[in-house]
Amino acid sequence: MASPVYVEDREFIITGSIGVAGYPDDGISTDTLLSNADAAMYLAKQVGKNTYRFYTEGMNERAAERLAMESRLRRALPKNELYIAYQPKVDLKSGYITGAEALLRWENDELGAVSPAEFIPLAEESGQILEIGEWVLRQVCHDLHTLDKNGFGDERIAVNISSRQIRREDFARQLTGILREYKVEPTRLKIEITESLLLSEDSHTIEVLQALRRMGVELSLDDFGTGYSSLSYLKRFPFTEIKIDRSFIRDIESDHSDKQLCQAIIAMATSLKLKVVGEGVENHGQLDFLRNYGAHSGQGFLFSKPVRIDEFITLIERGPFPLSA
Ligand code: C2E
Ligand code: MG
Ligand code: MG
């Protein structure tokens, strides 16, 4: 399977996810064996694909749970169970809110609030992310008008985009269409993508990102430091901002290597003329550190949790956050 396949001079790499169930321990009938092998294959996909898993007891229940969750998620949009929460990004020199990150929320009758960390991967795997992602973009455009009407026409909203969305042939065209339809300037929008999305460095992704940047959309590299953190990404892709992952900010005061890492990231980004955002700022010690080393913005519970649009507007109206304890 590792050998590439050629179609019309283009090289394709194909990977496989394999589930294994053995007779007679994992089932006597063909049906049971196949369904157990299927459950094992799902786990192989879940742990990152291109691997194999053997069937173990309990796998079927988990696979059934996943399936139930997937079909609930399918009804989430028509049932109006999704909404966007906005988390302010704060300028670390002035304390003013310069924009927000749009974070998807799912409130289900039976399951309660489900974390996007849980349902986004599911939506990606089932392909639902395309429809949900489009809804997010539309909702954000709608909310940008609400911001405008309240006199906040400068704030930029950042939207998280997953790999599946960007790999779509026509993502740039789709986005242009939505912006036109809602009469929203591309300069009001920022796209956040995670490092892991760039691993393949395929030419399509580069082209899409360059097209977005030419339109005036800003590009932010999310969760920086958790993947390969390759400097070549920063050179090859037209980013305007990087976000230092929460895991490095958490122990920034006590952990010497985290401290040095953050310092190095800020210095490197600044010399590349990129803006730096610290994610997950929860206390004044972390805030002081980021300010002292010259990070441009901060985002985290210290300032605000992600809130609904009307509450976000109230936050902006309140004026700058105090930056010292
Ligand atoms: P992310 O883009 O890195 O988002 C930041 C996460 O950190 C959010 O979690 C946010 O609520 C959380 N956070 C912010 N400040 C703090 C803090 O001070 N302390 C702690 N402990 N956490 C903080 P959330 O909302 O659960 O989102 C998780 C991930 O789900 C996001 O990570 C993003 O990758 C993904 N996601 C969220 N919304 C969307 C979306 O609309 N589309 C796509 N494709 N992915 C999304
Ligand atoms: Mg993000
Ligand atoms: Mg992040």
Side-chain angles (χ1 to χ4, degrees):
M1 288 223 52
S3 327
V5 179
Y6 295 91
V7 181
E8 289 177 358
D9 292 340
R10 285 186 63 182
E11 186 184 275
F12 291 89
I13 312 284
I14 293 174
T15 62
S17 299
I18 301 171
V20 188
Y23 173 91
D25 288 354
D26 301 331
I28 312 286
S29 72
T30 322
D31 281 351
T32 315
L33 276 172
L34 278 176
S35 107
N36 288 349
D38 202 41
M41 180 199 66
Y42 267 105
L43 189 69
K45 285 188 171 182
Q46 214 180 321
V47 297
K49 305 185 179 158
N50 197 19
T51 184
Y52 61 90
R53 281 292 180 272
F54 286 97
Y55 174 77
T56 56
E57 256 171 80
M59 244 179 210
N60 258 324
E61 283 93 89
R62 261 172 291 152
E65 265 171 41
R66 257 177 97 73
L67 218 62
M69 180 101 126
E70 211 178 286
S71 64
R72 282 202 183 101
L73 187 57
R74 246 174 241 293
R75 292 190 298 266
L77 264 182
K79 284 173 76 185
N80 272 325
E81 292 179 342
L82 300 180
Y83 70 92
I84 309 277
Y86 292 93
Q87 187 174 41
K89 283 189 181 173
V90 176
D91 179 85
L92 294 187
K93 281 212 171 80
S94 66
Y96 276 104
I97 293 176
T98 54
E101 175 173 10
L103 292 157
L104 189 56
R105 294 289 175 263
W106 180 20
E107 193 73 47
N108 178 266
D109 309 338
E110 288 154 75
L111 303 171
V114 189
S115 160
E118 211 176 319
F119 71 82
I120 295 278
L122 200 70
E124 279 195 35
E125 197 177 298
S126 67
Q128 294 182 68
I129 193 69
L130 295 179
E131 198 188 337
I132 293 176
E134 182 174 346
W135 178 84
V136 170
L137 286 170
R138 287 177 181 278
Q139 190 60 45
V140 164
C141 285
H142 175 269
D143 289 345
L144 274 164
H145 278 293
T146 312
L147 277 175
D148 262 359
K149 273 185 224 135
N150 283 271
F152 305 114
D154 291 331
E155 279 70 11
R156 224 181 238 269
I157 301 293
V159 179
N160 294 285
I161 298 292
S162 73
S163 56
R164 189 104 183 222
Q165 283 171 278
I166 231 144
R167 294 226 172 87
R168 244 181 93 132
E169 204 62 58
D170 59 346
F171 180 75
R173 192 147 29 91
Q174 181 196 37
L175 183 64
T176 315
I178 294 175
L179 290 172
R180 264 204 208 116
E181 186 186 328
Y182 284 82
K183 300 194 173 61
V184 166
E185 290 298 323
T187 49
R188 300 293 302 283
L189 208 62
K190 190 178 280 188
I191 298 287
E192 291 193 6
I193 56 179
T194 59
E195 260 185 291
S196 53
L197 190 150
L198 305 177
L199 275 183
S200 54
E201 294 205 19
D202 62 307
S203 55
H204 172 67
T205 305
I206 300 183
E207 278 162 28
V208 172
L209 295 180
Q210 281 167 344
L212 295 178
R213 190 65 203 106
R214 275 195 304 271
M215 280 161 64
V217 174
E218 284 195 2
L219 300 173
S220 180
L221 186 52
D222 204 354
D223 303 340
F224 191 77
T226 56
Y228 284 75
S229 308
S230 158
L231 290 177
S232 81
Y233 295 155
L234 298 177
K235 222 180 70 187
R236 298 189 52 174
F237 297 93
F239 289 106
T240 48
E241 172 187 279
I242 67 175
K243 300 182 80 177
I244 306 179
D245 191 65
R246 192 166 78 224
S247 57
F248 299 106
I249 306 289
R250 193 176 47 222
D251 303 320
I252 208 170
E253 293 162 286
S254 52
D255 188 315
H256 188 65
S257 57
D258 280 354
K259 198 181 283 187
Q260 286 190 314
L261 219 116
C262 286
Q263 231 174 299
I265 294 176
I266 296 171
M268 174 198 70
T270 310
S271 68
L272 289 169
K273 301 204 165 47
L274 298 169
K275 297 263 188 276
V276 184
V277 185
E279 288 188 307
V281 182
E282 293 184 353
N283 60 51
H284 275 281
Q286 296 162 340
L287 174 62
D288 289 344
F289 182 95
L290 288 170
R291 292 185 70 204
N292 287 340
Y293 284 97
H296 304 86
S297 333
Q299 191 185 334
F301 295 167
L302 176 67
F303 301 117
S304 169
K305 297 207 164 183
V307 293
R308 295 207 188 232
I309 184 71
D310 40 340
E311 223 175 305
F312 175 58
I313 290 172
T314 313
L315 281 176
I316 313 179
E317 280 167 348
R318 237 185 252 165
F321 285 98
L323 292 178
S324 42

